Amino acid sequence: MEEFKISNLYDLNETIAAELLQTAEYPWELLPKISAFILELGAKLPKDTYTEIKEHVWVADSATIAPTACINGPAIIDEDAEVRHCAFIRGNAIVGKGAVVGNSTELKNVILFNKVQVPHYNYVGDSILGFKAHMGAGSITSNVKSDKTLVVVKNQEERVETGLKKFGAMLGDHVEVGCNSVLNPGTVIGRESNIYPTSMVRGCVPAHSIFKKTGEIVAKR
C-alpha cells in the first residue's frame, strides 16, 4: 500500500487542510476528522479575507457563490473557488483555491484540493480529491456498500480494514475520471491516472495508469 499513502498521493502545498493531512499515513484515516478540523481552522481564518456567511460556513471574499447554491456548515470555501447554480454542499466540506463545484453537484464530508473540478452532476461523499483532480459529468463516488459492511481497501493481494462504513474514493493529484463513471466504496486512484468514461471502479488503481475496464489497467506511455 506504499503507493497509496498520503505522501505519495498528494502535494500538501495545494490545500488549506495540509495540517490535517500531515497527521495520518493513509488519507481515509482522516474522514472522521474533517468536521472538527474545519471548525478549528475556520475560527482562525483571517476576517479580512474570509467571511462567515452563516454559522460555521467560511467563504473567501474572492470566491464566487451562485445565489441558488446551498452550503451547510461546517464548510470552508477557499480563495477564487466557484460554487455554481444549484450546487448542494451538505457540510463537512473544504473546497480548495480555484476549485469548481458545479451545477447540481453534491458534496458531503470531503476535502477538495486546489483547482479540483467537480463541475456537472457529481456526487462526492466521504472522499478526498487531490490537486487538479477532475470528475467528468455524471461521475460519482459511491460511499456505502450495498450490504452495509465496513469498507476494505484492496490492492491485489493486500487488504486494509478501514473500520469505516462510509468511504467513497481517494483521488491523487491530476486524476481524470471519465463521464458517468462510478467509483465504488474504498476506491483509491494514484496520481495522474485516467479512468475511462462509464467505468465501474473498485479497489486501487496505480499512479500513471489508464483504467479501461475491470481487469484492464495499462501504464501510461
Side-chain angles (χ1 to χ4, degrees):
M1 288 289 179
E2 182 71 24
E3 182 179 351
F4 303 107
K5 291 181 177 179
I6 290 170
S7 57
N8 291 321
L9 286 172
Y10 304 115
D11 179 354
L12 299 191
N13 295 312
E14 296 293 348
T15 177
I16 199 172
E19 183 178 350
L20 175 63
L21 283 131
Q22 289 167 348
T23 65
E25 188 171 33
Y26 294 103
W28 53 86
E29 297 170 359
L30 302 174
L31 294 176
K33 303 177 182 180
I34 292 174
S35 180
F37 177 77
I38 293 172
L39 292 171
E40 180 182 354
L41 177 60
K44 298 186 292 188
L45 292 172
K47 291 181 171 55
D48 61 342
T49 310
Y50 297 83
T51 299
E52 188 175 3
I53 61 170
K54 63 181 183 181
E55 186 176 22
H56 301 150
V57 177
W58 293 272
V59 177
D61 296 341
S62 60
T64 302
I65 310 295
T68 52
C70 176
I71 306 176
N72 295 329
I76 295 172
I77 313 299
D78 210 347
E79 296 173 351
D80 300 313
E82 184 179 356
V83 181
R84 293 177 178 168
H85 174 67
C86 289
F88 180 27
I89 298 177
R90 283 170 52 189
N92 301 339
I94 294 175
V95 177
K97 291 180 174 64
V100 175
V101 181
N103 174 34
S104 302
T105 289
E106 180 178 344
L107 304 181
K108 172 253 177 187
N109 201 47
V110 298
I111 297 173
L112 306 186
F113 274 57
N114 299 343
K115 296 189 181 298
V116 164
Q117 292 192 346
V118 282
H120 310 287
Y121 302 99
N122 306 110
Y123 173 70
V124 186
D126 300 285
S127 300
I128 299 176
L129 277 56
F131 177 58
K132 286 191 174 180
H134 171 256
M135 294 184 66
S139 60
I140 65 168
T141 65
S142 173
N143 61 335
V144 180
K145 295 173 65 176
S146 59
D147 61 6
K148 307 300 188 292
T149 57
L150 301 181
V151 176
V152 177
V153 177
K154 299 176 183 177
N155 180 34
Q156 298 179 9
E157 300 304 314
E158 293 183 281
R159 294 167 55 92
V160 175
E161 304 279 349
T162 70
L164 299 170
K165 183 179 178 182
K166 294 187 177 183
F167 173 167
M170 305 289 133
L171 274 57
D173 295 341
H174 300 278
V175 164
E176 290 279 343
V177 178
C179 295
N180 291 320
S181 293
V182 177
L183 308 181
N184 282 286
T187 295
V188 187
I189 303 175
R191 287 181 188 233
E192 298 186 19
S193 285
N194 291 55
I195 307 300
Y196 267 21
T198 70
S199 295
M200 185 184 71
V201 186
R202 187 184 304 277
C204 296
V205 177
H208 310 287
S209 297
I210 300 173
F211 180 101
K212 296 185 176 183
K213 61 182 179 180
T214 301
E216 188 174 357
I217 302 174
V218 300
K220 283 186 174 180
R221 295 180 180 177

